[in-house]
Amino acid sequence: MRRTGIEFNRHDYEYDVYSLVKAFIPEEEVVSFYSGESPAGEFDRLLRVEYGDDRILCVIEEQGRETLREQVKLTCPEDRFATKNLLKQTVYRMFSGLTGRTLPWGTLTGIRPTKLAMHPLEEGRSREEIAANLRETYFLSEKKTDLAIDIAVRERKILEGMDYENGYSLYVGIPFCPSICLYCSFGSHPLKKWRKRVDEYLDCLVRELDFTAGHFSDKKLQTVYIGGGTPTSLTAAQLDRVLETVATRFPMDEVREFTVEAGRPDTITEEKLAVIRRYPVSRISINPQTMNQETLDLVGRGHTVQEIVEAFHMARDLGFDNINMDLIVGLPGEGYGEVAHTLEQIRALGPDSLTVHSLALKRATRLHLFRDQYQEISFANSQEIMSLCEQTAAEMGMSPYYLYRQKNMAGNFENVGYAKVDKAGIYNILIMEEKQSIIACGAGGSTKFVLDRGNRIERVENVKSVEHYLARIDEMIERKRAGKEKS
Ligand code: SF4
């Protein structure tokens, strides 16, 4: 594997530059270090990044010989935002020239590109002005510029009437799954090992929910999301307990959306769906990820394509009129043909919304190890695949309504949520645009207090491990209390 080193003279922006370089050369190993350090091994290419009082200097050396140099004058060095942008623009130009590649999202390495369109929209700027800024400052492609602005416009409309100051959303985490998928980065716990302690977990969760309901009773609950893990991996009685706690302890009269992420079809039964129907749940998600059996087996999903179809029809028959389906593109061994097959099967089912994720190869996943072991299996994603998803969603009457990116995504693309009119997931937008506080209960829950109209965010994390959550539930509750006081 080719190696590229990045040598920095200062401890700023290292991660931004590293992510940008990695996006240009995902197939290479990229190592960053600081001047004076001696990283192990040789580099095929070295990027030296120097910036100081009045200039940015970037130099590329290959086989010890300087091949490219760019220097940019800093007119306002104390403006960190401008310095970072100029630095990323410089690195972008150099690597684009070197590799002959362009990146659809330009210099953007963050996960919330629509925020860059949302803010100026709120300030009343025109579409043309916003588009010009996205293209000139961040080098976004025309397609991604349009996508970011379209989504921001749609999000604003969907969020109309939400109370950002006095409203909040509730997340409830059920961190168990029947088996752990190869690509899982959520830290879910296998039921086989944890089954005996699920009730103990629910005891703690109910305590945390009780506290939250009381402590935030001065605020208006507006959306609820029960996610995981796989909430339907609970038994019908356990699921009933969670839903009953939420529906009776919290005021439901202002709730605009209540989602249960049913998730894995192998956990969905008529009995559990009937339990969900007894509560004011407005939206569920049944997640195939792919409709190709071979891939499902390969990534350890542990269910069949037939089970997906049956779970979907069962939910429709029981009256669920807002069903989301999640797909992943870039799964091992899948290319255009496999994704096209999945999309045709999904079209035949006719969900109300579709969320298309680009596979993110996170280091902490088993898939990362798998890729190293099975290098002959491809992990492909392309603009053609993304466009096919977009086109199929449009043919199903859906428009893109939220978008986010992750690090190490296959092909450096994005995750996009598509929905039919009035079927968009409001919670999804809130979490991405950081407009409203989200109080999260359960292991791995990450509470976000959104303050000063979104200009300040305070986070309160729950521990991820169920073991620690059970042992430290008082501390989790205390953290929430302290977080609210601080905010
Ligand atoms: S269903 Fe989701 S949360 Fe559960 S193991 Fe698979 S990826 Fe992880």
Side-chain angles (χ1 to χ4, degrees), residues 90 130 157 179 193 228 246 272 324 355 357 380 476 479:
T90 309
I130 299 169
K157 201 161 168 21
S179 64
K193 189 170 158 215
V246 174
K272 293 180 201 177
N324 172 70
T355 311
H357 299 269
M476 299 305 107
R479 282 184 188 181

Side-chain angles (χ1 to χ4, degrees), residues 22 36 40 49 65 84 167-168 202 216 232 235 285 304 324 327 360 411:
K22 187 74 189 158
V49 178
R65 204 168 53 82
K84 184 167 86 173
Y168 76 100
L202 295 185
F216 293 85
T232 39
T235 64
S285 195
T304 63
N324 172 70
L327 298 184

Side-chain angles (χ1 to χ4, degrees), residues 136-333:
E136 284 157 23
T137 310
Y138 304 105
F139 304 164
L140 257 65
S141 72
E142 209 154 305
K143 209 166 165 41
K144 298 303 177 200
T145 300
D146 285 343
L147 182 63
I149 299 176
D150 285 348
I151 288 180
V153 168
R154 214 160 277 130
E155 283 179 338
R156 279 197 78 195
K157 201 161 168 21
I158 295 167
L159 293 183
E160 259 170 28
M162 292 298 286
D163 187 341
Y164 298 146
E165 296 303 309
N166 294 308
Y168 76 100
S169 291
L170 175 70
Y171 175 84
V172 183
I174 307 294
F176 305 107
C177 285
S179 64
I180 304 303
C181 307
L182 214 51
Y183 54 83
C184 184
S185 60
F186 300 104
S188 192
H189 295 60
L191 255 192
K192 228 179 266 167
K193 189 170 158 215
W194 285 91
R195 200 178 304 277
K196 288 204 179 94
R197 299 192 74 185
V198 173
D199 284 320
E200 205 184 322
Y201 176 79
L202 295 185
D203 291 343
C204 292
L205 181 63
V206 167
R207 276 189 61 199
E208 198 185 5
L209 285 168
D210 262 339
F211 168 80
T212 303
H215 209 64
F216 293 85
S217 58
D218 56 331
K219 302 262 179 210
K220 208 181 341 180
L221 180 62
Q222 294 203 286
T223 80
V224 178
Y225 193 99
I226 302 192
T230 304
T232 39
S233 60
L234 299 178
T235 64
Q238 289 166 337
L239 191 58
D240 199 5
R241 184 178 178 201
V242 174
L243 289 167
E244 202 245 335
T245 304
V246 174
T248 58
R249 313 289 216 279
F250 290 83
M252 288 284 121
D253 43 326
E254 304 265 7
V255 172
R256 279 184 59 183
E257 176 183 281
F258 190 153
T259 300
V260 174
E261 198 177 350
R264 294 251 301 244
D266 46 335
T267 61
I268 299 172
T269 63
E270 196 166 345
E271 191 190 8
K272 293 180 201 177
L273 288 175
V275 165
I276 299 173
R277 281 297 282 159
R278 288 211 295 274
Y279 295 93
V281 172
S282 55
R283 182 174 178 269
I284 62 168
S285 195
I286 297 174
N287 301 333
Q289 313 303 8
T290 170
M291 294 296 267
N292 295 296
Q293 190 62 52
E294 212 178 307
T295 318
L296 286 174
D297 296 342
L298 192 67
V299 298
R301 287 284 289 183
H303 62 78
T304 63
V305 170
Q306 191 52 30
E307 281 175 298
I308 300 166
V309 174
E310 283 165 10
F312 187 87
H313 288 312
M314 203 191 288
R316 277 286 194 242
D317 290 346
L318 283 166
F320 287 95
D321 63 0
N322 191 354
I323 306 179
N324 172 70
M325 294 190 113
D326 273 11
L327 298 184
I328 301 179
V329 291
L331 282 169

